[in-house]
Amino acid sequence: MKYLIILSALVFSSCYEVERNCNDFKTGTFESTITIDRVDYTSTFSRTSELQVEAFNGSIDSTNVRWINDCEMVFKTINPKNRAEQKDIHLKILTTTKDSYRFEYGYVGDTNKQKGEAKRLILE
């Protein structure tokens, strides 16, 4: 009986899989929210398969997008204005829903990661 309970627990726990339909979010217009030190920051961006244009706090930044796999990409700022903007950013989509995804991001090679959520505004 003990083995049946353990086997049942393993079967039911292995059936749970996080939804990740990352291809649905490779292009479009989105609103992104991240929280740093309990302060929410919101930006909007449009992404094609190779370019992302983001508006935040009255400024617009453009980055080249390089997809590593279906759920991970690297951003490279096109016209960096300072040393920090010269660093590439790695973003990984963690989970998806019909119209949004949760992600983590950080500088390439840095172990410090931030998390956020992006919601689809327009499908392109």
Side-chain angles (χ1 to χ4, degrees), residues 36-86:
I36 300 174
D37 296 330
R38 295 185 291 224
V39 177
D40 288 341
Y41 297 94
T42 302
S43 66
T44 56
F45 61 92
S46 293
R47 181 187 307 135
T48 66
S49 60
E50 298 176 354
L51 180 68
Q52 180 167 302
V53 179
E54 183 172 11
F56 174 73
N57 252 5
S59 71
I60 296 175
D61 288 321
S62 300
T63 57
N64 287 318
V65 178
R66 180 174 53 89
W67 287 90
I68 298 171
N69 58 45
D70 287 343
C71 295
E72 295 180 66
M73 65 191 102
V74 173
F75 298 109
K76 183 172 192 64
T77 302
I78 293 175
N79 293 312
K81 297 174 188 74
N82 56 49
R83 196 170 195 76
E85 289 182 2
Q86 292 177 358

Side-chain angles (χ1 to χ4, degrees), residues 91-110:
L91 183 138
K92 180 178 183 178
I93 297 174
L94 303 173
T95 62
T96 64
T97 66
K98 181 181 174 207
D99 294 315
S100 67
Y101 63 90
R102 297 209 32 86
F103 61 89
E104 72 176 15
Y105 71 97
Y107 291 118
V108 171
D110 193 347

Side-chain angles (χ1 to χ4, degrees), residues 14-29:
S14 66
C15 292
Y16 178 75
E17 188 174 314
V18 175
E19 183 179 354
R20 284 192 358 166
N21 297 320
C22 302
N23 284 326
D24 294 346
F25 299 98
K26 285 193 172 187
T27 62
T29 300

Side-chain angles (χ1 to χ4, degrees), residues 28-39:
T29 300
F30 305 90
E31 179 179 84
S32 173
T33 304
I34 61 169
T35 304
I36 300 174
D37 296 330
R38 295 185 291 224
V39 177

